[in-house]
Amino acid sequence: MELRQVRYFVMVAQELHFGRAAERLHIVQSAVSQQVRRLERELQTELFDRSARQVRLTAAGERFLPEARALLAAEERARAVVAEVAAARATTLRLGTSTGLGAHLDRVLDALAGSAPEIGVELVAGRTRERLDQVAAGELDAAFLRGEAADAGRDGLRYVPLWQDPLVAVVPARHPLAASPGTIALADLADVPLVLTDRRNNRALVDLVVTACHAAGFGPVPGPRYGSLDDALTAIGARGSAEGMWTVVYEAHARRLSTPRVAYLPFRNPGMELTTYLAVRRADPTAGLEALLRACATSTAADGPAR
């Protein structure tokens, strides 16, 4: 049984005339007659008495009519539910995020809520490559990332520069460098083991730090690897004054970390910062995405433009 057959049956039952039913359905009369006949064959009974000059419902047709109307009403309810879900999804932005966006993300969300309060936001965490794949597939509307992707331009995405994220050094609070007033030079860390994630996890960050160390005249001493940033910071904080390890975190993230026994030191070396981008599809943006881009521009104005 097809819904269109039921729909044609109900229309003929209302009009008691195949020609008028066809006119209201905007199709030819033969199509209405054909589909009603197929419905009758499937139900193995005649729904209309066609013997008189006027079309009449049979007893079976009379019994079937309210059930047919209920079936069409259920179809309308089902369509309405799907339309409601689709409308909700259309007004909800799914954004891929990364650790340490800090107050930057807060300002973007505040600006978006102020300019487009009807748009909801769902934040989705994940690795950089996963977030970009989801944006390209339409599973995310946009994703924040630091440093442009290695294969930028190959996956139908464009990267909108937003703001600069300075890096700070993290050293044990008992290490002599922690007592240094103001900023720290990368060269001061030449003999201290560096704790970094694998390059495949954060290519932009690892390349920036290693390149900066070489520019400062040394190759970083590799330190141990840890499963998470929290583990690395805890291990660094446990080091004594005569030993040490160091790593880097984003300044915006450092303001929110509460790891004890570590010190956060700004670099005086130039270039110790990464640009944060918003990855979006190259296709025409939706109204929600346009509102997000405006919110990013508004929040970025407080930080100064990305270079």
Side-chain angles (χ1 to χ4, degrees):
M1 182 187 302
E2 298 180 9
L3 285 173
R4 66 169 175 166
Q5 294 171 345
V6 177
R7 191 174 297 109
Y8 293 176
F9 161 75
V10 170
M11 187 62 70
V12 175
Q14 291 175 356
E15 297 294 328
L16 294 178
H17 193 283
F18 280 86
R20 288 194 298 269
E23 289 177 3
R24 291 191 59 184
L25 291 166
H26 305 291
I27 57 176
V28 297
Q29 179 176 336
S30 59
V32 176
S33 299
Q34 182 184 56
Q35 293 302 321
V36 171
R37 281 295 190 190
R38 287 181 177 177
L39 178 62
E40 289 175 323
R41 284 198 296 270
E42 183 171 346
L43 295 176
Q44 298 182 353
T45 187
E46 290 191 349
L47 301 173
F48 293 105
D49 181 359
R50 302 170 176 82
S51 60
R53 296 185 62 184
Q54 184 179 5
V55 176
R56 298 179 185 276
L57 284 165
T58 63
E62 293 279 3
R63 293 286 302 272
F64 182 63
L65 181 58
E67 302 301 330
R69 285 173 170 158
L71 184 59
L72 295 180
E75 178 201 13
E76 289 300 317
R77 290 194 300 272
R79 289 181 181 274
V81 168
V82 173
E84 182 179 345
V85 172
R89 291 185 63 182
T91 56
T92 299
L93 284 173
R94 301 190 76 237
L95 304 180
T97 62
S98 61
T99 301
L101 291 173
H104 296 301
L105 180 59
D106 292 342
R107 284 195 288 270
V108 169
L109 297 181
D110 287 345
L112 181 62
S115 62
E118 74 281 3
I119 296 176
V121 175
E122 180 183 351
L123 301 179
V124 180
R127 295 183 182 275
T128 298
R129 186 67 259 170
E130 293 172 352
R131 298 198 306 273
L132 296 180
D133 288 344
Q134 288 176 308
V135 174
E139 298 169 4
L140 292 178
D141 295 288
F144 294 97
L145 73 152
R146 293 187 178 90
E148 196 166 353
D151 54 355
R154 297 197 324 184
D155 47 14
L157 303 182
R158 64 186 179 98
Y159 299 87
V160 181
L162 299 179
W163 56 73
Q164 295 284 6
D165 272 317
L167 295 171
V168 296
V170 185
V171 300
R174 292 176 289 180
H175 195 278
L177 290 173
S180 303
T183 59
I184 188 173
L186 269 170
D188 296 334
L189 298 164
D191 298 325
V192 182
L194 170 62
V195 177
L196 273 184
T197 186
D198 289 332
R199 186 176 184 270
R200 66 175 180 273
N201 296 332
N202 196 330
R203 177 193 61 85
L205 176 66
V206 172
D207 286 355
L208 173 68
V209 173
V210 172
T211 300
C213 289
H214 288 151
F218 70 97
V221 178
R225 299 290 176 86
Y226 296 95
S228 67
L229 177 61
D230 286 342
D231 290 344
L233 296 181
T234 299
I236 291 172
R239 293 295 178 111
S241 58
E243 55 185 3
M245 295 187 300
W246 69 287
T247 190
V248 294
V249 297
Y250 298 103
E251 183 182 64
H253 194 192
R255 298 190 191 116
R256 297 193 170 186
L257 292 172
S258 58
T259 306
R261 299 191 298 275
V262 298
Y264 302 98
L265 307 174
F267 291 103
R268 58 175 174 266
N269 300 73
M272 291 299 290
E273 55 191 15
L274 277 175
T275 300
T276 293
Y277 292 84
L278 186 70
V280 298
R281 289 183 296 282
R282 293 186 181 277
D284 293 336
T286 63
L289 189 53
E290 288 179 341
L292 173 64
L293 290 169
R294 290 194 297 270
C296 288
T298 300
S299 65
T300 300
D303 301 315
R307 298 181 292 277

